[in-house]
Amino acid sequence: PIAPVTIYLVTGTEVVMGGFDVLHAPEISLAPAQAMEGRSLIIAVHSAYTHFESGVTTATVAGGSEIRIDALRILGPEGAELDVTLPKTFLPAEVSREIVVATRWEIARASFIVLPAPRFALAPAELPQGGAAQLLATGEFTHFVGGVTRAVLPPNAGFAVVWLEVLSPATALLAVHADFAPPEGPRTFSLVTETEDAPGTLTIVP
C-alpha cells in the first residue's frame, strides 16, 4: 500500500472509525513496443503491482484490427508473454494501439506501435512485350542504399532488371527489359535492402 487512509463517521457523540489502503496502480511495459506489420512475434509483458493469474488474466487490444493476440502465457504475478500477429495491410502511416491486460478489477495498459511495411510504385508501371525502358521506383517507408539494394524477381517473371541505380532512400532507377512473349498481366517483385523487402508491381502489356 502507498498509505493507509482512516475515515471517521461522527454522529453527535458517536464516533465510528474505519479505513482503507491506497494501492499502487498496476503498470505494464511491452518489449518490444513496436514492430512492422506482416510479422508474428512474442511480446514480453513486464509489470509492477500486478497479480496475473492463469485462466483469469486476459489481454485485449483497444480498437483497430492491426494487432491480433493469438495467445497469452502467464509467467508469474508480474510477468507474461503474448503471441501476436500483425496482419499486412500496407498501412498509410504508423498506428498506435493500447494493449489492455486485466485481472478481475485490476487493469493495466501499454501502447504498441505498428509500423507500416515498405512498398514502391513504378513510373511508368507498364512495359510492352519485348520492350525496354528505364523505370522510376518511388518508395514509401523504404531505405534504399546504393550498392546494397537489389531487385528480386519471381520465377518466370517475364522481364529482367538490367541495372539498378539508387537515387535516394525512397527512389531508384531501374533499366528493365521484357521478354518477347511473356504472359500479359501484373508481376510483383521486390526491392530488397538487407532485411527490408519492398514489393512493387510491373504490368506486361501487348
Side-chain angles (χ1 to χ4, degrees), residues 45 47 50-54 57 73-81 103:
V45 181
S47 70
T50 58
H51 305 82
F52 298 158
E53 293 181 43
S54 295
T57 299
R73 288 183 297 279
I74 302 301
L75 306 180
E78 294 187 339
E81 287 182 338
T103 307

Side-chain angles (χ1 to χ4, degrees), residues 37-52:
E37 61 175 332
R39 297 182 178 179
S40 296
L41 66 153
I42 296 173
I43 299 176
V45 181
H46 305 292
S47 70
Y49 314 115
T50 58
H51 305 82
F52 298 158

Side-chain angles (χ1 to χ4, degrees), residues 106-196:
E106 179 183 277
I107 298 174
R109 296 177 171 85
S111 293
F112 188 89
I113 295 174
V114 183
L115 302 174
R119 76 295 300 254
F120 70 90
L122 292 173
E126 296 182 345
L127 189 64
Q129 294 170 327
Q134 292 185 10
L135 310 179
L136 181 65
T138 301
E140 290 185 84
F141 315 109
T142 55
H143 303 83
F144 300 152
V145 177
V148 177
T149 300
R150 68 189 194 281
V152 177
L153 311 185
N156 304 313
F159 69 94
V161 176
V162 181
W163 53 259
L164 181 155
E165 179 185 357
V166 171
L167 305 178
S168 76
T171 55
L173 194 63
L174 288 71
V176 179
H177 185 277
D179 297 345
F180 283 98
E184 301 169 21
R187 307 284 196 280
T188 298
F189 69 102
S190 294
L191 296 182
V192 177
T193 308
E194 296 179 339
T195 59
E196 178 182 280

Side-chain angles (χ1 to χ4, degrees), residues 16-119:
V16 178
M17 184 177 67
F20 60 90
D21 291 329
V22 177
L23 303 176
H24 287 277
E27 303 170 2
I28 61 171
S29 62
L30 307 175
Q34 64 179 30
M36 186 179 296
E37 61 175 332
R39 297 182 178 179
S40 296
L41 66 153
I42 296 173
I43 299 176
V45 181
H46 305 292
S47 70
Y49 314 115
T50 58
H51 305 82
F52 298 158
E53 293 181 43
S54 295
V56 177
T57 299
T58 61
T60 57
V61 180
S65 58
E66 298 85 4
I67 304 172
R68 187 178 73 230
I69 297 176
D70 300 316
L72 165 66
R73 288 183 297 279
I74 302 301
L75 306 180
E78 294 187 339
E81 287 182 338
L82 302 173
D83 292 340
V84 168
T85 299
L86 310 176
K88 194 171 194 175
T89 60
F90 292 105
L91 297 168
E94 68 178 40
V95 172
S96 179
R97 295 296 182 205
E98 271 196 336
I99 292 181
V100 182
V101 181
T103 307
R104 298 187 177 90
W105 60 86
E106 179 183 277
I107 298 174
R109 296 177 171 85
S111 293
F112 188 89
I113 295 174
V114 183
L115 302 174
R119 76 295 300 254

